[in-house]
Amino acid sequence: MSDDNQALWDRFNELVKLSFGEVEDGDLKGYIYSFRKTYMAVMGVEEFNKTKKHYDEMTEVMIKLVGDDDPFKAAREKDAPRLFKKNWETILESCCFPVLNATDIDDGIEKYQKCNAYVFDCWRKALNACRQGDYPQAVFLSILALEEAAKFHQAWYELFYNDGKPINAKKNQPPRRKDYKFNHKKKHFVSIVSGALLNHRVEGLFGKDKVVEFVGMAENGELENVRQSCLYATVGDEGPVYPDDVISQETAIFYVVFLGEAIGEFVFSTSWEYRDFKEEMDAVIEEFGLPAVS
């Protein structure tokens, strides 16, 4: 990065702090309140003009940093506009089914953090299974963590907008089969598009083509076939085919790392959560002999 761009980048980070306020690591309630303030500034609420001014300058700085480059070129190459539109439409189907059902913001934060802890407990069990040589279980648990991340995705919006209380709960709810939270294939799609499609770390690890291929698998429902192949033997032309015959060490490492990175990108809303998990992922990447990524 040139000196001029470094100065712009430093200014951008300074403006982020001004816009979000000085929130200490771990202060999720303070972060939510600051995030709300910034959101209202972006929406043009008059009493937050000072924050809006910071936000406007942040936007100008980012435009200068981008320069003549097309920031959306890479996204278009991966069919991102269509996929994100489909992703958002899938998520909107579930708005009437609350996740947290909190009584107040403290209750909401406690439940939200427990959701996240559970998701990453599933992923760490996948990691341990991979280390122990149980490769089908490693892949299955990685996909399970991915599904649970999608199931609880709505929790952040409930917490941010309404202290964890239900948003737009409807008396006449549609059947659960229309809610992506109760559909394996839709959960795979939502998590992968949100967490991997524009994730520079997974692209640095596995390449753009692999990311595009995996997003396609999620969209086409193929991850559900992989999930089942981890659990059930099938009968082939030459006799039974067992999970150990299908899932190799290389496959298990790929799923544990790829989905771990995707889930981290998808789930964490604060800088300190993502920073801590990134350090954990960096150690796992080194352990498995994969190239380091920033």
Side-chain angles (χ1 to χ4, degrees):
M1 184 179 289
S2 68
D3 290 342
D4 288 343
N5 279 356
Q6 183 63 56
L8 283 170
W9 182 247
D10 291 342
R11 179 57 180 158
F12 175 77
N13 284 310
E14 179 185 344
L15 289 163
V16 169
K17 290 181 180 179
L18 286 169
S19 189
F20 276 79
E22 294 295 335
V23 179
E24 295 183 3
D25 287 3
D27 181 10
L28 185 54
K29 185 188 289 189
Y31 178 83
I32 290 168
Y33 289 153
S34 292
F35 201 162
R36 287 175 180 171
K37 182 179 72 172
T38 302
Y39 176 78
M40 294 175 77
V42 174
M43 298 302 289
V45 178
E46 188 64 29
E47 58 263 36
F48 293 104
N49 273 342
K50 184 176 180 181
T51 307
K52 188 175 189 303
K53 180 180 178 182
H54 295 150
Y55 179 83
D56 290 343
E57 189 178 345
M58 284 162 55
T59 303
E60 291 177 9
V61 168
M62 286 306 294
I63 290 172
K64 290 178 182 177
L65 278 170
V66 170
D68 295 329
D69 294 334
D70 180 355
F72 302 108
K73 180 180 179 182
R76 283 199 298 271
E77 288 176 349
K78 288 185 277 192
D79 200 18
R82 180 189 67 81
L83 289 166
F84 277 121
K85 182 176 184 293
K86 181 178 178 180
N87 185 52
W88 185 239
E89 289 171 348
T90 302
I91 291 172
L92 286 178
E93 292 174 354
S94 71
C95 288
C96 55
F97 289 97
V99 173
L100 295 178
N101 282 300
T103 55
D104 54 36
I105 191 168
D106 292 318
D107 184 42
I109 287 173
E110 181 179 353
K111 289 180 175 178
Y112 169 76
Q113 291 177 325
K114 190 171 183 178
C115 287
N116 285 356
Y118 166 70
V119 167
F120 285 98
D121 181 59
C122 291
W123 177 79
R124 291 184 182 101
K125 287 177 179 176
L127 174 61
N128 287 332
C130 190
R131 287 167 171 161
Q132 294 164 10
D134 190 347
Y135 303 127
Q137 188 72 355
V139 173
F140 167 72
L141 287 170
S142 295
I143 296 174
L144 172 65
L146 186 78
E147 293 177 356
E148 299 299 69
K151 183 186 296 179
F152 295 141
H153 177 57
Q154 185 178 315
W156 167 250
Y157 296 99
E158 292 177 0
L159 190 59
F160 172 66
Y161 285 109
N162 206 33
D163 291 350
K165 301 169 188 174
I167 301 173
N168 296 329
K170 299 177 182 178
K171 292 182 179 179
N172 299 318
Q173 294 180 341
R176 284 194 170 200
R177 60 183 170 79
K178 291 190 176 182
D179 187 331
Y180 84 90
K181 294 196 293 293
F182 306 101
N183 182 296
H184 287 297
K185 295 178 182 179
K186 288 183 178 181
K187 285 186 288 186
H188 300 161
F189 176 73
V190 166
S191 285
I192 288 298
V193 170
S194 300
L197 186 58
L198 298 183
N199 186 327
H200 74 280
R201 282 175 61 90
V202 292
E203 189 166 327
L205 283 164
F206 303 108
K208 183 185 76 174
D209 291 344
K210 191 64 177 179
V211 173
V212 172
E213 177 189 345
F214 204 78
V215 171
M217 288 177 64
E219 183 177 19
N220 296 330
E222 295 174 46
L223 280 186
E224 175 59 12
N225 297 334
V226 175
R227 187 185 75 87
Q228 293 196 29
S229 72
C230 297
L231 299 174
Y232 307 109
T234 60
V235 178
D237 294 338
E238 299 181 3
V241 179
Y242 301 99
D244 284 330
D245 299 326
V246 178
I247 306 297
S248 66
Q249 179 186 31
E250 182 181 3
T251 298
I253 290 173
F254 169 77
Y255 271 81
V256 168
V257 175
F258 190 105
L259 297 190
E261 288 284 355
I263 293 166
E265 179 79 13
F266 181 43
V267 169
F268 290 132
S269 301
T270 68
S271 58
W272 65 83
E273 290 173 314
Y274 183 74
R275 179 198 63 216
D276 292 346
F277 184 67
K278 178 177 173 292
E279 291 176 359
E280 182 176 357
M281 282 302 309
D282 286 343
V284 170
I285 288 166
E286 182 179 3
E287 175 185 345
F288 288 137
L290 296 171
V293 289
S294 59

